[in-house]
Every structure is written in C-alpha cells, then in structure tokens.
Amino acid sequence: MNLNTEYYEGVDKGHDEEHEIQRIDYYQRVLKRFKMNYCENPDFLKDLSLEAYKYIDDLIFENASYDEIREYVDSIS
C-alpha cells in the first residue's frame, strides 16, 4: 500500500470538492446580480467554470451590458 498515493488522491478529491463549492457559490452570486441588473433570461449562465463566473461577476459589477456578458459566454462555450 502506497500511503503517499492515497494521501495525494485524498488531497485532489478535497480540492475538487472545494472548487465545486466555490463554483456553485459564484454561480449563485452571479445569478442574483444578473437578475437585479438585467431583465433577460439567465439560463445561458448555467454550467460555466469558476473562472468564468468570477469574470462575469466583475463584468456585472462594472455595469457591462447584457450583450457584453452574452458575447463573453458565447466565446467560451
């Protein structure tokens, strides 16, 4: 039994779970801000990466237009 391998696999699993929790938190934050600032349907914001949600959060904070946000999401899809 290789304890180092088991340890690193456990670290990776913990890191992945933490990353997913952060991604979901950012999605909820972006969704809330998006709904407060835009009247359009936010369905196109589903299932993006954590980094994409952070960027979109910044765009919304900077008062970007709906079209700018949509273009960004389309460019990464």
Side-chain angles (χ1 to χ4, degrees):
M1 177 162 73
N2 186 341
L3 296 178
N4 287 331
T5 302
E6 290 179 9
Y7 170 76
Y8 287 117
E9 287 173 357
V11 169
D12 288 344
K13 184 177 180 182
H15 178 70
D16 290 345
E17 290 173 4
E18 181 180 322
H19 189 266
E20 182 63 15
I21 290 168
Q22 287 179 343
R23 191 184 74 78
I24 292 168
D25 287 345
Y26 258 94
Y27 169 68
Q28 292 171 346
R29 178 189 306 184
V30 165
L31 193 60
K32 181 179 179 181
R33 287 188 184 192
F34 185 88
K35 288 179 179 180
M36 288 173 43
N37 293 301
Y38 309 97
C39 296
E40 285 79 3
N41 186 348
D43 285 346
F44 71 98
L45 297 172
K46 290 183 181 175
D47 299 325
L48 301 176
S49 69
L50 173 60
E51 293 75 18
Y53 288 132
K54 287 181 178 182
Y55 186 77
I56 293 168
D57 190 46
D58 289 341
L59 288 175
I60 294 170
F61 184 74
E62 295 171 356
N63 295 319
S65 70
Y66 167 80
D67 291 333
E68 288 175 298
I69 296 169
R70 186 64 194 230
E71 286 174 13
Y72 171 71
V73 171
D74 288 346
S75 75
I76 61 170
S77 297

